[in-house]
């Protein structure tokens, strides 16, 4: 087994084996870019190490001979006093997990080799700075000494000699610091090893182990990264950005990752080592200034950025170091970007001819589209700024200030909205960021860990706000003369880089011109239609704006709940005779016509599926408990009443309440979700559906007369028996005909949500022009899971235990529910080849479920208004992914 690859041997296609970092270093070496010499230990080695807790057989020998080879290449010797070779030991998983695992720099330095380093570089201060970094990193990462203790020693020393920054410390002060650091380690009963090979061995092991540290595990869970990938370890010859002011280290993006603009974007620190930039110890300078500071290196950076972007055909996130004017690349990976940037970059790169149309569509993630529809701070509202910093991740977040991730998690679990405020940006904060509405930090740049993580999660963030002074003991921060205490409310505006006092109103940007352009390209590619689940005219309007091609589900029950309607509805339900019922329904008829008119106007030219009344009737009546307590109250009042005149109205009220109570008790069911509802009510009380069908057709006629194109589809819910729809059709079509007199075309169909309905779809399809899968109920009834209860009780445990991979109410269960859909489609089309088939459950807005609908060849998906843009993208992506499966 070969566990080690030199950079010359690898390539970008070896991510699984070499990790993203190793593969990137290899690829850059291969195409002739300046990378310090080095090699990568494979993820296979880590996999064995994680299992056995020791190196796989032969690995150490391979490391030794690789080090010999590295010595030959560099002309330096590992552990040599004259010409010491120093290396970094760097983590790197197959999937990018920025800052989640560990890296040790300057391995190979000890009390003796430092002399050689001083001699070769002629820079004593630099050498001691490198040494103190090694002892510090080694102590923290390899030996597990709390990093805080080193930071405190650093602060003490700075205070003692009145130095503002780390770089102001002199040689002697750094020497003193090295001794202090060694002592901290000793005080823990540990030792910093002088043997360079011991340093190397234990650093490699520590990096292997960092695969399983807490923050890496949390990150994997949040990002659905498999646990068994493991990390590779790259051993890289050290180059030094901390050799003076012709040296620097930095991070650059080939395009701006928050706007998508085509400009080199990034930050650097002169006289610093890599981790300084990401750790946010000093606030870095914008990359443009490098052009003045070290012009030749800047030109090399620009050239490398161009080459890399063309080569990878994607925006790259680059780490570089400049050693005495000489430029080196230390990392490249495809850049994380926010939603706005992702869309602009994909569109631009397509237009620039760098990527194809299909690649452009695949590059934008459905979650990006979601983020675009996130709220932003209302510009027109007056606000009080409490802090200004860098606009690290866009959007507006409102919540109560907390100062540590643990408190954030605790409060969030109690349903509170929180804003995480931190002095620095640290990778350990991920779990706090995950539950926060927004993030604010005092130090750190656009590429600090908090900024990167927040962007990826779509959380608003303001970082590097140097004007805020955080007092962790008092749990408060001060800024612009104001004191903000823990639990005070603030609004983080990550788009402007501002934090406001209190809760600021927000607005939703909706579709930008770029998103519209992108989505209309998606529309040309997709095969599935996209309709909306819209219950009000407002929702219908919004869904048109978002690109819906019709309404896939308009629920009518809401229309009976208005103040003016509910009493009529209740009277209708309690009617004893058909005549009585019809008279109340006639009152509702006119109101329903007006409801539908609005829908048809808005959806001019597009189909509108109106579902006939679905819920059980008792949902329109008061709850039993409410009624009995009201009745008791009236009885009490009756006792106190003195005159007949007082008593009469009370008695009348009492009788009325008791009459309702009787009906409520008569309609009570143990399991209303599978009870007397849907078409079952429609069959037993035919007048209700008759009224609704009349209203639909009358409304359609009215809007048609306005010159609009009206396409009504009448949907009968909860059909599981052929005879249900057969009888419905026989009753309702004559009414529709009577109303329309042949002047409007309409369709008549059913919502398929009872498993039996799927199995007898051939029978049902004889009487239906369309099917729409109601996958919420279909999932409930296929699993026998109560939609309203399981999530509170055992469903999450099922997912943790691995019984289920996903919540089947969110992600369509392809094996069970999906199989029923396939059966229904096949059997339905067999008896009615022109059957229109769609889906209107919540799944209609979920990308994975949409993909499945494409695969089995449905005609459309229907989603709630805010998920329509996502559905348009997901449908296009499904069409690209399954090109050969096109059913048409
Ligand atoms: P991460 O995955 O957290 O970014 P890296 O392995 O990239 O960790 O290392 C952290 C920083 O250390 C990098 O930003 C890089 O600039 C610096 N670094 C790593 N190896 C070397 C090296 N051989 N020479 C100089 N700097 C290095
Ligand atoms: Mg890095
Ligand atoms: Mg239903």
């Amino acid at each position: 087994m070969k566990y080690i690859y030199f950079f010359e041997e690898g390539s970008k296609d070896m991510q699984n084996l070499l990790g993203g970092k190793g593969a990137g270093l290899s690829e850059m070496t291969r195409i002739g870019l300046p990378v310090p010499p080095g090699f990568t230990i494979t993820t296979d080695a880590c996999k064995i190490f994680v299992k056995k807790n020791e190196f796989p057989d032969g690995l150490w020998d391979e490391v030794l001979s690789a080090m010999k080879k590295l010595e030959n290449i560099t002309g330096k010797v590992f552990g040599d006093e004259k010409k010491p070779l120093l290396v970094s030991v760097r983590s790197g998983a197959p999937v990018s997990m920025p800052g989640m695992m560990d890296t040790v720099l300057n391995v190979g330095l000890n009390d003796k080799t430092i002399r050689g380093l001083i001699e070769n570089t002629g820079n004593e201060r630099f050498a001691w700075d490198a040494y103190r970094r090694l002892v510090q990193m080694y102590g923290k990462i390899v030996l597990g000494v709390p990093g805080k203790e080193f930071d405190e020693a650093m602060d003490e020393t700075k205070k003692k000699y009145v130095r503002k920054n780390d770089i102001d410390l002199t040689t002697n002060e750094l020497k003193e610091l090295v001794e202090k650091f060694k002592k901290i380690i000793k005080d823990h009963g540990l030792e910093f090893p002088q043997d360079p090979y011991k340093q190397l061995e234990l650093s490699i092991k520590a990096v292997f182990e960092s695969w399983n540290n807490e923050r890496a595990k949390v990150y994997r869970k949040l990002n659905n990264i498999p646990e068994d990938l493991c990390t590779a370890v790259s051993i890289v010859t050290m180059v030094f950005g901390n050799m003076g002011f012709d040296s620097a280290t930095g991070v650059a993006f080939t395009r701006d990752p928050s706007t998508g603009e085509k400009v080199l974007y990034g930050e650097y620190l002169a006289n610093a080592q890599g981790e300084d930039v990401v750790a946010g110890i000093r606030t870095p300078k914008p990359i443009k200034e490098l052009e003045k500071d070290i012009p030749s290196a800047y030109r090399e950076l620009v050239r490398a950025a161009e080459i890399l972007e063309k080569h990878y055909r994607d925006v790259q996130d680059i780490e570089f170091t400049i050693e005495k004017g000489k430029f080196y690349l230390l990392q490249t990976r495809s850049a994380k970007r926010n939603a706005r940037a992702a869309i602009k970059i994909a569109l631009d790169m397509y237009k620039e001819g760098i990527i194809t149309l299909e690649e452009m569509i695949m590059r934008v993630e459905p979650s990006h589209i979601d983020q675009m529809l996130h709220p932003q701070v209302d510009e027109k509202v007056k606000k009080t700024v409490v802090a200004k910093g860098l606009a690290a991740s866009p959007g507006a977040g409102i919540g109560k200030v907390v100062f540590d991730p643990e408190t954030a998690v605790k409060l969030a679990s109690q349903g509170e909205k929180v804003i995480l405020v931190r002095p620095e940006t640290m990778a350990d904060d991920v779990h706090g960021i995950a539950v926060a509405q927004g993030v604010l930090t005092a130090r750190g740049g656009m590429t600090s860990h908090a900024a990167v993580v927040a962007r990826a999660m779509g959380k608003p963030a303001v970082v590097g706000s140097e004007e805020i002074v955080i007092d962790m003991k008092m749990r408060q921060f001060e800024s612009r003369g104001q004191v903000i205490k823990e639990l005070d409310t603030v609004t983080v505006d990550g788009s402007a880089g501002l934090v406001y006092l209190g809760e600021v109103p927000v607005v939703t940007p909706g579709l930008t011109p770029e998103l519209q352009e992108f989505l209309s390209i998606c529309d040309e590619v997709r095969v599935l239609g996209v309709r909306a689940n819209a219950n009000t005219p407002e929702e219908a309007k919004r869904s048109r704006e978002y690109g819906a091609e019709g309404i896939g589900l308009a629920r009518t029950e809401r229309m009976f709940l208005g103040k003016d309607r509910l009493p009529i509805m209740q009277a209708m339900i309690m009617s004893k005779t058909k005549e009585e019922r019809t008279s109340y329904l006639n009152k509702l008829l006119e109101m329903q016509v007006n409801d539908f008119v609005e829908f048809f106007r808005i959806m001019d030219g597009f189909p509108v599926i109106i579902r006939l009344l679905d819920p059980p009737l008792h949902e329109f009546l008061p709850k039993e408990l409410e009624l009995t307590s009201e009745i008791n109250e009236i009885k009490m009042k009756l006792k106190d009443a003195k005159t007949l005149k007082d008593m009469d109205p009370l008695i009348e009220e009492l009788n009325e309440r008791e009459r309702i109570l009787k009906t409520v008790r008569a309609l009570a069911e143990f399991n209303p979700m599978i009870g007397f509802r849907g078409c079952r009510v429609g069959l037993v009380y035919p007048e209700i559906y008759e009224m609704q069908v009349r209203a639909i057709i009358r409304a359609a006629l009215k809007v048609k007369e306005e010159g609009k194109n009206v396409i009504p589809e009448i949907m009968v819910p909860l059909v599981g028996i052929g005879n249900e729809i057969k009888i419905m059709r026989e009753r309702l079509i004559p009414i529709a005909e009577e109303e329309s007199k042949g002047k409007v075309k309409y369709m008549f169909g059913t919502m398929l949500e009872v498993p039996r309905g799927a199995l007898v779809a051939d029978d049902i399809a004889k009487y239906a022009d369309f099917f729409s899968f109601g996958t919420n109920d279909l999932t409930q009834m296929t699993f026998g899971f109560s939609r309203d209860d399981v999530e509170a009780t055992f469903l999450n445990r099922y997912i943790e235990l691995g019984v289920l991979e996903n919540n089947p109410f969110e992600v369509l269960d392809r094996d069970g529910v999906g199989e029923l859909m396939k059966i229904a489609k096949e059997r339905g089309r067999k008896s009615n080849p022109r059957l229109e088939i769609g889906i209107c459950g919540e799944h209609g807005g979920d990308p994975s479920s949409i993909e499945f609908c494409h695969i089995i060849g449905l005609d459309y998906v229907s989603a709630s208004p805010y998920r329509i843009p996502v559905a348009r993208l997901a449908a296009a992506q499904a069409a690209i992914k399954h090109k050969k499966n096109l059913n048409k």
Side-chain angles (χ1 to χ4, degrees):
M1 192 102 177
K2 176 176 162 75
Y3 291 117
I4 286 181
Y5 289 78
F6 266 79
F7 296 157
E8 296 80 357
E9 299 174 278
S11 77
K12 70 177 189 324
D13 307 318
M14 293 167 74
Q15 293 235 4
N16 279 338
L17 197 59
L18 304 180
K21 202 174 285 165
L25 289 165
S26 287
E27 189 72 9
M28 291 193 290
T29 304
R30 217 172 56 82
I31 62 174
L33 288 168
V35 174
F39 56 87
T40 302
I41 306 173
T42 64
T43 51
D44 284 346
C46 181
K47 282 177 193 164
I48 295 170
F49 179 84
V50 168
K51 251 188 237 131
K52 297 204 303 184
N53 206 24
E54 59 185 66
F55 278 163
D57 292 340
L59 174 61
W60 187 242
D61 287 337
E62 253 189 274
V63 171
L64 292 179
S65 56
M67 288 302 286
K68 282 278 158 303
K69 191 169 155 193
L70 204 55
E71 289 174 349
N72 287 337
I73 298 171
T74 58
K76 294 177 182 168
V77 179
F78 194 57
D80 188 59
E81 282 179 45
K82 291 247 157 57
K83 286 185 120 190
L85 169 65
L86 305 186
V87 295
S88 60
V89 178
R90 310 173 66 190
S91 57
V95 177
S96 167
M97 297 169 50
M100 292 305 132
M101 288 171 304
D102 294 321
T103 282
V104 188
L105 304 182
N106 307 329
V107 172
L109 267 182
N110 60 23
D111 294 347
K112 287 183 184 144
T113 55
I114 188 167
R115 286 183 219 144
L117 189 63
I118 294 169
E119 219 162 279
N120 295 336
T121 59
N123 189 335
E124 201 178 354
R125 188 201 169 277
F126 146 75
W128 283 100
D129 186 45
Y131 196 19
R132 72 92 188 158
R133 286 169 193 271
L134 171 64
V135 181
Q136 182 174 358
M137 267 187 265
Y138 193 92
K140 181 179 166 191
I141 293 163
V142 183
L143 301 176
V145 175
K148 221 174 63 190
E149 296 185 24
F150 297 109
D151 296 340
E152 279 164 8
M154 168 65 93
D155 285 344
E156 251 168 50
T157 312
K158 281 200 289 201
K159 219 177 239 165
K160 182 168 157 197
Y161 297 106
V162 202
R163 308 288 180 216
K164 184 161 180 280
N165 286 313
D166 303 5
I167 43 167
D168 304 327
L169 292 171
T170 63
T171 308
N172 281 334
E173 289 156 15
L174 287 166
K175 269 189 203 169
E176 187 183 314
L177 203 52
V178 169
E179 288 316 307
K180 269 194 195 163
F181 284 177
K182 283 187 187 162
K183 180 157 183 307
I184 290 173
I185 293 175
K186 271 229 170 72
D187 290 347
H188 281 266
L190 299 162
E191 201 178 357
F192 172 77
Q194 288 292 318
D195 175 0
Y197 277 101
K198 200 83 226 158
Q199 292 174 9
L200 182 63
E201 181 196 335
L202 294 182
S203 297
I204 295 171
K205 285 183 175 163
V207 173
F208 279 163
E209 276 161 8
S210 70
W211 174 254
N212 279 324
N213 71 33
E214 269 321 299
R215 60 174 199 249
K217 280 192 199 162
V218 171
Y219 188 88
R220 287 200 288 274
K221 213 169 165 196
L222 284 171
N223 292 282
N224 290 324
I225 298 171
E227 281 294 310
D228 57 1
L229 293 178
C230 284
T231 182
V233 179
S234 290
I235 311 285
V236 190
T237 307
M238 283 305 300
V239 290
F240 299 101
N242 51 342
M243 287 190 70
F245 284 87
D246 55 353
S247 302
T249 181
V251 181
F253 292 81
T254 56
R255 299 186 193 213
D256 186 328
S258 39
T259 65
E261 221 118 334
K262 199 186 173 184
V263 288
L264 188 65
Y265 177 91
E267 299 166 323
Y268 73 100
L269 274 173
N271 200 9
Q273 247 186 6
E275 80 275 21
D276 295 357
V277 180
V278 276
I281 289 172
R282 282 186 274 149
T283 298
K285 290 198 211 174
I287 204 80
K288 203 77 194 102
E289 287 179 32
L290 185 64
E291 191 169 11
K292 280 177 281 150
D293 284 357
I294 318 174
S296 65
Y298 180 77
R299 280 195 300 277
E300 281 226 52
L301 170 62
V302 171
R303 192 183 76 96
E306 269 168 25
I307 293 175
L308 283 170
E309 196 183 273
K310 284 233 172 70
H311 186 72
Y312 278 96
R313 305 165 66 241
D314 195 9
V315 179
Q316 296 296 296
D317 165 354
I318 301 166
E319 288 177 7
F320 64 89
T321 283
I322 300 159
E323 178 181 310
K324 288 179 157 295
K326 169 124 183 53
F327 176 82
Y328 292 97
L329 284 159
L330 289 171
Q331 190 171 336
T332 190
R333 62 183 166 215
S334 100
K336 296 229 160 113
R337 59 207 81 173
N338 68 26
R340 218 174 110 203
I343 291 153
K344 179 165 172 52
I345 289 168
L347 258 180
D348 285 353
M349 287 195 141
Y350 166 60
K351 289 178 188 164
E352 288 163 30
I354 299 175
I355 56 175
T356 65
L357 184 136
E358 292 175 352
E359 281 172 313
M360 172 190 75
I361 291 173
M362 297 311 285
R363 287 239 177 130
V364 176
E365 288 162 28
S367 65
H368 285 141
I369 310 275
D370 257 348
Q371 284 171 39
M372 289 295 283
L373 310 173
H374 271 184
Q376 307 279 339
V377 165
D378 189 348
E379 281 167 26
K380 283 166 282 175
V381 176
K382 266 226 174 97
K383 336 170 235 280
T384 316
V385 175
V386 283
K388 184 171 172 34
L390 303 173
S393 180
I398 301 165
K400 294 182 170 164
V401 166
V402 295
F403 291 98
D404 62 83
E406 283 66 41
T407 312
V409 169
K410 203 178 108 213
L411 288 183
S413 73
Q414 296 162 7
E416 292 281 1
K417 300 200 150 134
V418 299
I419 299 291
L420 183 62
V421 180
R422 300 289 282 159
E424 283 169 357
T425 54
M426 282 190 282
D428 311 52
D429 296 345
V430 217
H431 58 299
I433 299 174
V435 299
Q437 304 297 311
V439 182
L440 166 64
T441 72
R443 277 173 286 176
M446 292 296 281
T447 51
S448 63
H449 287 314
V452 171
V453 171
R455 264 200 299 276
M457 290 183 183
K459 306 267 178 179
V462 173
V463 304
S465 175
E466 291 182 359
E467 60 184 343
I468 70 170
V469 180
I470 300 179
D471 186 334
M472 291 296 279
K473 286 211 186 82
M474 296 288 291
R475 305 199 77 75
Q476 64 182 40
F477 75 84
E478 216 190 302
S479 180
R480 305 197 175 192
Q482 305 184 67
V483 175
I484 313 291
K485 292 206 158 27
E486 190 159 47
L487 301 186
D488 284 353
T489 298
V490 296
T491 301
V492 169
D493 180 351
S495 309
L498 295 170
V499 178
Y500 310 107
L501 208 55
E503 182 177 339
V504 172
V506 293
V507 289
T508 310
L511 304 185
T512 60
E514 254 136 15
L515 181 54
Q516 300 221 27
E517 185 181 352
F518 174 77
L519 288 175
S520 48
I521 299 176
C522 290
D523 292 342
E524 277 163 40
V525 171
R526 68 183 158 85
V527 179
L528 278 171
V530 176
R531 298 190 191 177
N533 295 349
N535 305 314
T536 62
E538 290 71 42
E539 287 178 9
K541 257 183 226 141
R542 164 130 288 150
S543 49
R544 275 296 295 132
E545 280 161 30
Y546 283 175
E549 303 154 319
I551 293 180
L553 171 63
R555 299 176 177 92
T556 48
E557 43 271 23
R558 243 171 246 213
M559 300 172 187
F560 296 110
L561 291 170
K563 263 211 190 86
D564 48 338
R565 305 178 183 194
L566 194 57
I568 309 175
M569 186 67 183
Q570 293 179 343
M572 188 280 289
I573 291 169
M574 291 189 302
S575 302
K576 292 220 176 55
T577 62
K578 189 180 157 126
E579 287 67 39
E580 209 183 328
R581 213 164 23 243
T582 310
S583 78
Y584 289 116
L585 282 167
N586 280 339
K587 288 192 186 168
L588 290 170
L589 176 64
E590 273 321 296
M591 297 173 170
Q592 285 260 281
V593 171
N594 290 334
D595 294 331
F596 299 145
V597 159
E598 275 305 302
F599 282 113
F600 290 137
R601 280 193 188 131
I602 295 164
M603 285 292 155
D604 181 12
F606 295 108
V608 176
I609 298 188
I610 294 168
R611 178 177 69 180
L612 303 180
L613 194 73
D614 182 51
L617 293 178
H618 57 73
E619 277 190 22
F620 297 96
L621 298 177
K623 297 266 164 303
E624 179 169 354
L625 211 65
E626 252 169 63
L627 281 168
T628 46
S629 85
E630 274 171 12
I631 286 169
N632 283 338
E633 228 169 86
I634 300 172
K635 281 183 177 163
M636 301 281 274
K637 279 192 202 155
L638 260 177
K639 263 190 203 154
D640 295 344
K642 300 217 166 62
T643 64
L644 267 180
K645 223 178 108 205
D646 288 342
M647 285 168 75
D648 272 348
L650 286 172
I651 290 171
E652 202 171 299
E653 215 183 317
L654 186 65
N655 286 341
E656 167 71 13
R657 295 283 110 182
E658 284 183 331
R659 214 163 66 90
I660 301 179
L661 182 63
K662 229 168 122 190
T663 316
V664 167
R665 288 198 169 135
L667 287 172
E669 297 173 295
F670 278 111
N671 199 340
M673 285 299 266
I674 50 173
F676 185 43
R677 48 176 290 223
C679 70
R680 302 162 192 177
V681 174
L683 272 159
V684 175
Y685 300 113
E687 309 80 25
I688 302 177
Y689 281 10
E690 284 171 17
M691 178 279 282
Q692 289 197 295
V693 168
R694 266 187 218 288
I696 292 170
I697 302 297
R698 280 189 200 176
L701 267 175
K702 192 166 169 190
V703 177
K704 193 162 183 215
E705 275 159 21
E706 295 169 7
K708 296 208 158 72
N709 184 6
V710 190
I711 312 168
E713 300 188 31
I714 302 163
M715 179 156 76
V716 181
L718 219 71
V719 171
I721 307 166
N723 275 335
E724 284 172 333
I725 184 86
K726 179 170 182 270
I727 297 172
M728 281 288 149
R729 193 177 180 97
E730 283 163 7
R731 274 190 202 160
L732 297 175
I733 294 292
I735 288 172
E737 286 302 313
E738 180 193 323
E739 292 288 336
S740 78
K741 301 191 183 69
K743 282 192 227 143
V744 225
K745 277 205 194 116
Y746 57 87
M747 283 164 82
F748 183 81
T750 172
M751 187 148 166
L752 261 197
E753 49 193 333
V754 177
R756 190 182 188 280
L759 298 173
V760 300
D762 42 356
D763 198 13
I764 294 175
K766 287 184 212 154
Y767 312 101
D769 309 317
F770 67 89
F771 285 173
S772 175
F773 289 110
T775 45
N776 301 341
D777 272 327
L778 190 58
T779 300
Q780 163 168 273
M781 291 190 249
T782 301
F783 277 94
F785 282 173
S786 164
R787 261 163 83 177
D788 298 313
D789 302 320
V790 287
E791 274 166 81
T793 54
F794 64 88
L795 197 54
N796 284 339
R797 285 292 290 145
Y798 257 40
I799 291 162
E800 279 165 22
L801 290 169
V803 179
L804 283 173
E805 205 179 319
N806 292 302
N807 178 340
F809 291 103
E810 285 167 14
V811 179
L812 191 105
D813 159 50
R814 297 188 184 193
D815 297 341
V817 177
E819 194 59 25
L820 281 171
M821 291 166 69
K822 274 206 267 191
I823 290 172
K825 187 208 137 190
E826 276 154 27
R827 296 186 185 169
R829 286 249 168 94
K830 206 175 266 169
S831 64
N832 178 1
R834 289 173 49 206
L835 192 70
E836 172 191 270
I837 309 180
I839 179 176
C840 65
E842 271 310 296
H843 302 95
D846 166 67
S848 154
S849 313
I850 293 170
E851 182 188 14
F852 181 76
C853 293
H854 173 91
I855 294 172
I856 65 170
L858 299 196
D859 295 308
Y860 67 86
V861 297
S862 188
S864 55
Y866 279 97
R867 294 172 91 185
I868 283 162
V870 168
R872 290 162 73 189
L873 170 63
Q877 292 187 333
I880 291 168
K881 251 174 97 181
H882 303 277
K883 243 190 172 153
K884 294 186 198 77
N885 290 10
L886 294 191
N887 253 27
K888 299 199 167 170

